[in-house]
Amino acid sequence: MAKPKVFITRKLPEEVVSPFRNQLDIDMWPEEEKAVPRQTMLEKCKDMDGVVTMLSDKIDEQLLGQAPSLKIVCNLAVGYDNIDLDAAQKHGVTVTNTPDVLTDTTADLTFGLLMATARRLVEANQYIKDGKWNHWSPLLLAGKDIHHKTIGIVGMGRIGEAVAKRATGFEMEILYHNRSRKQDAERNLGATYVEMDELLERSDFVVCMTPLTDETREMFDEQAFRKMKKDAMFINGSRGQTVNEGDLYDALVKGEIAAAGLDVFEKEPIGKDHPLLKLDQVVCLPHIGSASVETRHEMMKLCLDNLDLYFQEKQPKTVVI
Ligand code: DGY
């Protein structure tokens, strides 16, 4: 029997891919950094049985409508806002993602970003590299304490809870807002559920970990920033489109909030002229939440396992629909 034809939309390490080559007829985009152009993607998918996608690949009605043999899309991310689930359902296409394997890695990065923002680590590093360290003074690059402060986590999914767990080590008060109450987090981590307004008003660090949906799109806007404390810091480890970036910029410039740490942006990648990059009080990262070598390998393996299981007529491990 012919092997199922599978397209991987980015060059992945051969050591991860090769164990699957016996079972799957794999066509892999040869570039590691450059995304496959949309037109090529449309062409490639026309006769594929499965595809491994990156969060930068759009899987929509146009693509699915032209890919009659496509049966499964395995997204190399826990988020799947790049995939039109209604269209996938309509075309009978299974969608998988990569939860769990990235939880701790993403929480580490998010907490690290919070720390870098609060204690001005990036600015301090640049200060030395620019040759400016020629004196010591009591308030030189003084930041904001993290320990014993209040963290407000918006989106208490697995990663949100893992961020909360890290906050317990800093003896922080933990507030959260989520669609549903998380009894385990309340019991085990001492987290307190609050309404969104209360979270915004009381938190020293507002941390966005919510998935991008129609309800969460631009939930952090002018009104939300205005409700936050003037010395509050906003950290985003989920999706850039949960934020109105123009409103965030204004809030920072007007001093309505003190600082921001952003791993994600409205439209990625951002260029060096992005307005938020001009502000010293903003720490920016290029969407590296789950980017440790170990975790990225686990994510890749999980995508390929899911494909393999599907074509063996077994249940993939992490099905979205
Ligand atoms: C995810 O998995 O959704 C992350 O954003 C990728 O790093």
Side-chain angles (χ1 to χ4, degrees):
M1 216 174 70
K3 295 186 218 173
K5 291 181 74 168
V6 166
F7 180 49
I8 304 178
T9 68
R10 205 65 69 91
K11 183 174 165 47
L12 305 184
E14 198 46 41
E15 65 190 280
V16 180
V17 177
S18 69
F20 295 88
R21 288 197 185 275
N22 274 342
Q23 308 90 284
L24 303 169
D25 178 2
I26 296 176
D27 178 358
M28 187 156 65
W29 181 243
E31 310 255 8
E32 200 183 313
E33 290 181 8
K34 261 184 40 206
V36 52
R38 173 75 179 171
Q39 203 46 45
T40 314
M41 175 88 178
L42 292 175
E43 286 302 317
K44 289 266 186 202
C45 288
K46 275 183 181 159
D47 66 341
M48 290 293 157
D49 298 304
V51 60
V52 174
T53 50
M54 309 299 122
L55 50 84
S56 47
D57 301 319
K58 208 170 162 60
I59 304 297
D60 55 7
E61 175 59 41
Q62 185 195 21
L63 183 143
L64 294 165
Q66 298 178 26
S69 47
L70 192 62
K71 295 170 198 72
I72 178 164
V73 174
C74 301
N75 208 36
L76 189 88
V78 65
Y80 41 81
D81 46 277
N82 55 316
I83 301 173
D84 180 340
L85 292 186
D86 291 337
Q89 197 140 36
K90 178 178 141 201
H91 292 279
V93 171
T94 296
V95 174
T96 69
N97 65 342
T98 60
D100 303 322
V101 292
L102 49 58
T103 299
D104 283 321
T105 301
T106 310
D108 284 351
L109 189 282
T110 305
F111 209 83
L113 181 56
L114 182 155
M115 294 181 74
T117 309
R119 296 300 305 272
R120 305 173 63 183
L121 302 186
V122 177
E123 247 183 297
N125 174 63
Q126 198 56 44
Y127 180 84
I128 300 188
K129 288 191 171 173
D130 288 346
K132 292 183 183 162
W133 192 23
N134 47 31
H135 71 285
W136 184 92
S137 68
L139 287 176
L140 175 65
L141 287 158
K144 179 186 168 90
D145 274 333
I146 299 160
H147 64 87
H148 298 100
K149 292 289 174 72
T150 300
I151 185 171
I153 301 173
V154 179
M156 198 66 150
R158 283 167 279 215
I159 305 175
E161 279 196 42
V163 171
K165 192 169 170 190
R166 282 147 182 79
T168 61
F170 289 75
E171 299 182 63
M172 299 179 88
E173 178 177 12
I174 302 167
L175 307 179
Y176 78 97
H177 184 75
N178 197 54
R179 270 180 315 181
S180 56
R181 290 282 289 268
K182 293 298 180 99
Q183 311 289 355
D184 278 358
E186 294 183 18
R187 212 175 17 252
N188 303 335
L189 304 170
T192 306
Y193 174 86
V194 289
E195 291 302 329
M196 189 64 186
D197 280 356
E198 185 177 345
L199 182 145
L200 295 172
E201 285 158 15
R202 286 181 51 198
S203 300
D204 297 299
F205 299 95
V206 174
V207 180
C208 173
M209 298 311 299
T210 185
L212 177 65
T213 64
D214 287 343
E215 291 80 57
T216 64
R217 194 176 300 279
E218 297 204 7
M219 70 186 293
F220 292 97
D221 59 3
E222 187 186 350
Q223 280 188 2
F225 293 123
R226 211 176 288 139
K227 287 179 188 145
M228 287 166 57
K229 294 182 186 180
K230 288 218 178 323
D231 65 348
M233 300 189 170
F234 174 69
I235 310 297
N236 194 357
S238 72
R239 285 292 181 271
Q241 289 165 38
T242 57
V243 179
N244 180 317
E245 275 179 4
D247 290 356
L248 171 61
Y249 180 86
D250 289 344
L252 286 159
V253 169
K254 287 186 201 153
E256 279 167 3
I257 65 168
L262 308 170
D263 183 40
V264 288
F265 297 86
E266 220 168 296
K267 198 167 176 324
E268 297 174 0
I270 60 169
K272 66 177 176 40
D273 295 326
H274 192 288
L276 285 164
L277 293 178
K278 312 279 178 227
L279 304 179
D280 287 340
Q281 69 273 44
V282 180
V283 177
C284 296
L285 304 176
H287 202 149
I288 54 168
S290 58
S292 71
V293 175
E294 301 96 307
T295 292
R296 283 286 158 87
H297 279 207
E298 285 300 318
M299 291 164 68
M300 294 166 195
K301 197 170 163 304
L302 179 54
C303 285
L304 290 160
D305 274 340
N306 279 335
L307 273 175
D308 192 28
L309 286 166
Y310 180 91
F311 290 114
Q312 284 184 50
E313 296 184 6
K314 294 184 184 152
Q315 173 74 358
K317 292 177 182 169
T318 50
V319 174
V320 177
I321 58 158

